[in-house]
Amino acid sequence: MKPTEEVLQDLTRPSNVSVHSDDALVGKVKAAITADDEKRKENEDEPLRRKPALVLILPELPRQFEVTLWDVLHTLARATALSWRGAGRGLAEHWGALKYTQALAGGRDSFLGLTDEGHRIADHYKSLQSGELGIGFALTLTEHILRSRFPDHSVTIVPADTALRAGWALTSRDKGEKVKYRYRPQYFAEVWRPGEPSLAVPLACKGNHGDTATSAEQLASASAHAEAVHIGAWNETPSLLSSTQLPTDGSTMTVHALQAPSSGGWLSPAEGREANLNAPPFQANVMPDIHPPADGLVTPEPVRGCHVQPKDYAWFQEALAHTTAAGLMTFTGSGHATARHLTDRQGRKRFTGLEHAASMSIQDAAHTLFGNEYVGTDHVFRLNGPRVEAFSGVDKEVFRLLARGDVENTAPSSTRAATSAPASPSTRTGAVRSPSTPTAPSSPCDCYRGRTRNPARARLADAQLRRQVRPDGL
């Protein structure tokens, strides 16, 4: 059993992830789609709509991608903060990523792979492990791809179900006219820069413990999930699909990825009003179904799914902004600050009421890191014996603005200050400390990208901030 500090050092040590995206993969996915379509036809099941064209991702996708495991776990934590997966309300959500602190291992000259503990988890919770780690690796890779493709832009990951519930009743428990379609992307990646339109890209992320053939089948399914949301014109919404292969035979872990390229997805104010990010979250009731274009004088029947039409761009941009703010406030443990950015159908009532440590995370912790003040919440757990404390939070001023509902003016200058210095732990960083340590170190450790000098006393902090968007056209 590794000493606690060695485990923490491993979390911040760079390693490599194998990435697969080529014409051979495209061919395997097409074959998997054909086989699935034939099987559905034999079973007299409804045929699935899928993205019309899948291609490899170039040139932004390297054959191997350097990450730290903490980058991946931090991304997974942020992505699942609003997931409603745990019975413990806020407590069980973003801290769930910590169960994978010893599930993977690698090194700067090697690839990440499952450890003995990772295999033990897989024996009992294969679907959960592959699904959650698939999300973490897919979103980490997605951020890299989109930042390479759109330099000088920021990329925000938004849980799709939460954002879509601002306009549609997705399941039987939701009030309103139901979409009646179980296929949906898991996330949106919103690419943005102040003063310009933002781009919303549906993401479908899967994972497995099988082989390349299993990943091809998952990408075929992911194509149907991504197709369920159209933004703007018919078949003009780009998407990214991924399947993370976590083999249990000791072979290399691989992220298989494809894209459905297109020029759409931009939330430009083509018609109607501009977005007002400070407007309270609005529960719209958008009619379900996606509307294909007319063929001459013939108007085709609508198909099931969610269609963000130009008249809804401002509302959808606001929904994405508030969902992002809610996720960030959940990351601080503040239920009331989270609730003010959600509608009832998105789960607002879930975050209201008494905030008590026995039932959920509470925003009651603060730390100063590299001269910046952060507020948030903490969690104590055992790591190979010793009790360890993890902290998650955001910049104090950003929390103050978002807690009072001020999304429009969440300090772009603060965003630059918090994310520009490479030694800052404000973004994509994190660590834990023993709660027996009475005070923070006088010289805080550098926990950015594996350069942790004293990991047992570091803190997790996140300052992914919202901004003002003024879409003035492309």
Side-chain angles (χ1 to χ4, degrees), residues 100 121-122 124-133 207-209:
Y100 298 119
I121 294 174
H124 299 286
Y125 304 104
K126 274 191 172 184
S127 179
L128 177 66
Q129 184 197 61
S130 62
E132 291 188 334
L133 289 178
N208 66 81
H209 289 91

Side-chain angles (χ1 to χ4, degrees), residues 155-166:
V155 178
T156 302
I157 301 298
V158 187
D161 272 12
T162 307
L164 291 172
R165 278 194 168 95

